[in-house]
Amino acid sequence: NAGVTQTPKFQVLKTGQSMTLQCAQDMNHNSMYWYRQDPGMGLRLIYYSASEGTTDKGEVPNGYNVSRLNKREFSLRLESAAPSQTSVYFCASSEWVTSGSEVYEQYFGPGTRLTVT
Amino acid sequence: TQLLEQSPQFLSIQEGENLTVYCNSSSVFSSLQWYRQEPGEGPVLLVTVVTGGEVKKLKRLTFQFGDARKDSSLHITAAQPGDTGLYLCAGEIFMYSGGGADGLTFGKGTHLIIQP
């Protein structure tokens, strides 16, 4: 049981290049998320997928696209990378759990450190 | 809009000392969660508090949810260098599309350094 896995772990792009960040989870969770983490800004939601076949914009979706390939996999694509997209990207998955009352918990991958020059 | 405010932003103390970090909001949350993130890693869930006034203990870590479910605190007793990390609180929100789907909003975190 690997949890949430992300590839690649590090990436350097030139401005204008494109790339896809991959994420997979083996916990059979319905919901998956992409966040970016920047110093002083905390974790900000880019896109999410509440279930297979659906995706929705989060707080900072501009410049990104996503694909929920199946229940396990959720990819994030940068079509034309910009220096402002230099960040650490985290994928997460979640499920409602019941422990007395229903709560919502997220599990994160190890992150992708992206630099755009 | 930053719904969750964490304080202090940075804290550096000596091994063996006690400390408390705070997570405050003007909004009511049905639950709050605490995560710890170590350098180069993703956040890891520590605990979820659900009931107003609830107190949960995880070894030397004590988590409390405010009576009005707007705030939470994390108290560490006899801090150790292994406690060093970024501590994040998070609360449930309804998603930006207004569709009522699930999600979390995160505070910016408290950077904690425990010096040997």
Side-chain angles (χ1 to χ4, degrees):
Chain A
N1 188 339
V4 179
T5 57
Q6 293 183 236
T7 57
K9 196 162 178 65
F10 299 95
Q11 184 71 49
V12 178
L13 292 178
K14 293 187 189 312
T15 297
Q17 287 185 320
S18 62
M19 78 160 297
T20 300
L21 308 184
Q22 306 287 353
C23 173
Q25 52 94 7
D26 61 3
M27 296 174 281
N28 201 37
H29 287 167
N30 284 317
S31 302
M32 297 186 73
Y33 306 81
W34 277 105
Y35 292 90
R36 60 178 289 173
Q37 187 175 38
D38 303 290
M41 300 296 291
L43 281 161
R44 293 183 292 169
L45 184 67
I46 305 170
Y47 269 93
Y48 70 101
S49 171
S51 61
E52 185 179 353
T54 69
T55 61
D56 281 290
K57 295 178 181 179
E59 181 183 357
V60 288
N62 291 343
Y64 305 96
N65 285 299
V66 291
S67 295
R68 183 75 183 267
L69 304 170
N70 47 55
K71 191 171 186 179
R72 289 187 66 248
E73 298 172 288
F74 188 37
S75 63
L76 178 71
R77 182 158 179 85
L78 286 70
E79 290 290 353
S80 178
S84 61
Q85 294 178 303
T86 293
S87 187
V88 182
Y89 291 86
F90 289 100
C91 176
S93 70
S94 71
E95 195 61 89
W96 289 98
V97 296
T98 302
S99 57
S101 56
E102 283 200 328
V103 296
Y104 175 80
E105 298 177 345
Q106 288 196 353
Y107 297 87
F108 286 81
T112 294
R113 281 138 192 86
L114 175 66
T115 301
V116 183
T117 60
Chain B
T1 303
Q2 186 65 38
L3 296 180
L4 287 167
E5 299 285 343
Q6 290 190 245
S7 61
Q9 189 176 357
F10 297 95
L11 183 59
S12 178
I13 63 171
Q14 295 294 122
E15 181 177 2
E17 294 183 2
N18 302 331
L19 68 107
T20 302
V21 298
Y22 300 92
C23 173
N24 294 296
S25 176
S26 58
S27 303
V28 175
F29 290 95
S30 57
S31 68
L32 275 179
Q33 299 169 18
W34 285 91
Y35 293 78
R36 189 174 87 187
Q37 185 178 16
E38 297 188 24
E41 304 290 334
V44 175
L45 180 65
L46 294 174
V47 77
T48 302
V49 286
V50 179
T51 306
E54 181 178 6
V55 176
K56 280 192 174 178
K57 291 195 173 186
L58 189 67
K59 297 184 181 178
R60 294 175 294 98
L61 278 61
T62 302
F63 303 85
Q64 185 161 7
F65 200 14
D67 291 341
R69 291 186 288 126
K70 293 182 177 182
D71 55 87
S72 182
S73 63
L74 159 59
H75 182 79
I76 301 179
T77 303
Q80 298 178 2
D83 296 326
T84 292
L86 175 65
Y87 288 82
L88 297 161
C89 67
E92 294 168 10
I93 56 167
F94 292 98
M95 280 305 180
Y96 306 92
S97 66
D102 49 13
L104 291 176
T105 185
F106 285 83
K108 294 183 180 181
T110 292
H111 295 265
L112 177 63
I113 296 173
I114 310 300
Q115 314 221 19

